[in-house]
Amino acid sequence: MFAWSVGDLRRVSRDIVEHRLDIKPGIKPKKQKPQKMSDEKAAAIKVEVQHLLDAKVIRKVKYPTWLANIVPVKKKNGKWRMCIDFTDLNKACPKDDFPLPRIDKIVDDTANSQLMLLLDCFSGYHQIWMRTEDEEKTSFITPFGTYCFVRMPEGLKNAGQSFSRMTSKVLEPQLKRNILAYVNDIVVISAARQDHISDLAETFTNLRKANLSLNPKKCVFEVHKGKILGCLVVDGHYFPF
């Protein structure tokens, strides 16, 4: 079956961010033709769709003008990941030029800290709303119905920029001081060991105000080393891996 861990998702306020699909003028909607799939894949998709419905990440839709196929991808552990082929929709959307931080600068700054905390947002993209009028543009077809996303899915163009825009607002007082963030990779850094508890308290307070939830099973607390953006940071040094 599919890997899943959404549960009862929180929602970041629309006043902070919502994902928009500003379709380029003159672009006509496209409907992809349904693809055949095995009984095993169809059964796995049915389970995944029900989880998404229960978590209120998607909803049923009738007569969509945009329609994308599901692409089941098997993971190393044998479970299935449900990806959506947003190729046509992504081509129709302009690029969001919201600036992303430099990865090398983030890794350098992390290596200079005495202690760090690696944060993992709980199904982070799904905590961001889709703009209401754009929801049905994300419609996708399954063997048993059509659905669209109410929350921002992975695979959409500019999804990373929307998440970065959210973190820049939520964590603005801390960025580059005791927080480093690249899209949904967030690291709390403490230049001095004695400041670590207060750095954590400030971070959790700001996350709570924004109603942004974390996955405690994937957060790593009070460490001198960790995997960050393709590098292993160990006691002031980093190594690509």
Side-chain angles (χ1 to χ4, degrees):
M1 63 174 62
F2 283 96
W4 187 253
S5 61
V6 167
D8 184 18
L9 277 175
R10 294 183 178 182
R11 307 168 182 86
V12 177
S13 169
R14 292 184 186 273
D15 293 335
I16 295 175
V17 69
E18 60 180 5
H19 189 66
R20 303 164 57 100
L21 299 175
D22 295 313
I23 303 295
K24 298 174 186 175
I27 300 292
K28 294 182 179 180
K30 293 184 179 181
K31 290 186 177 182
Q32 298 177 1
K33 294 181 179 180
Q35 301 292 320
K36 294 181 180 180
M37 64 179 65
S38 67
D39 291 342
E40 178 191 2
K41 291 179 181 179
I45 287 170
K46 190 170 185 178
V47 172
E48 174 80 341
V49 166
Q50 189 58 54
H51 281 302
L52 289 167
L53 286 169
D54 292 343
K56 298 180 181 179
V57 171
I58 64 173
R59 63 175 174 84
K60 293 181 179 180
V61 64
K62 295 181 178 180
Y63 315 118
T65 55
W66 289 87
L67 196 60
N69 270 306
I70 286 178
V71 182
V73 177
K74 203 161 195 175
K75 301 172 67 176
K76 291 181 180 179
N77 60 8
K79 296 181 179 181
W80 291 95
R81 180 186 299 278
M82 188 180 79
C83 302
I84 313 295
D85 183 5
F86 286 127
T87 302
D88 295 324
L89 182 60
N90 287 342
K91 287 180 179 178
C93 295
K95 181 184 177 182
D96 182 351
D97 291 316
F98 186 83
L100 298 179
R102 287 178 50 183
I103 293 177
D104 60 336
K105 184 67 166 61
I106 290 178
V107 174
D108 283 341
D109 290 345
T110 302
N112 291 329
S113 64
Q114 283 198 5
L115 283 177
M116 58 186 178
L117 164 64
L118 311 181
L119 299 180
D120 183 86
C121 292
F122 194 57
S123 296
Y125 280 21
H126 290 161
Q127 295 186 55
I128 294 177
W129 292 103
M130 288 295 302
R131 187 172 63 165
T132 303
E133 55 264 44
D134 290 329
E135 290 176 2
E136 295 194 6
K137 297 185 181 92
T138 68
S139 296
F140 60 95
I141 189 167
T142 74
F144 35 86
T146 52
Y147 305 85
C148 70
F149 282 88
V150 178
R151 316 276 191 87
M152 184 177 72
E154 294 187 19
L156 276 187
K157 189 174 184 178
N158 302 320
Q161 281 81 357
S162 288
F163 198 93
S164 295
R165 184 175 281 106
M166 181 268 292
T167 54
S168 70
K169 291 182 179 180
V170 172
L171 300 171
E172 191 276 332
Q174 297 180 255
L175 286 175
K176 299 180 181 180
R177 177 169 56 83
N178 58 9
I179 283 280
L180 301 172
Y182 185 88
V183 190
N184 56 344
D185 287 297
I186 301 173
V187 186
V188 183
I189 57 171
S190 297
R193 179 182 295 272
Q194 62 267 24
D195 297 331
H196 196 56
I197 297 300
S198 61
D199 290 336
L200 299 187
E202 182 182 12
T203 302
F204 293 146
T205 297
N206 286 328
L207 293 176
R208 191 177 296 112
K209 287 179 181 177
N211 209 31
L212 186 66
S213 57
L214 301 172
N215 184 351
K217 293 181 180 180
K218 293 186 177 181
C219 293
V220 183
F221 290 82
E222 199 173 345
V223 292
H224 302 271
K225 65 179 181 179
K227 296 178 181 179
I228 300 167
L229 299 173
C231 291
L232 177 64
V233 176
V234 182
D235 291 328
H237 305 280
Y238 62 87
F239 310 91
F241 68 92

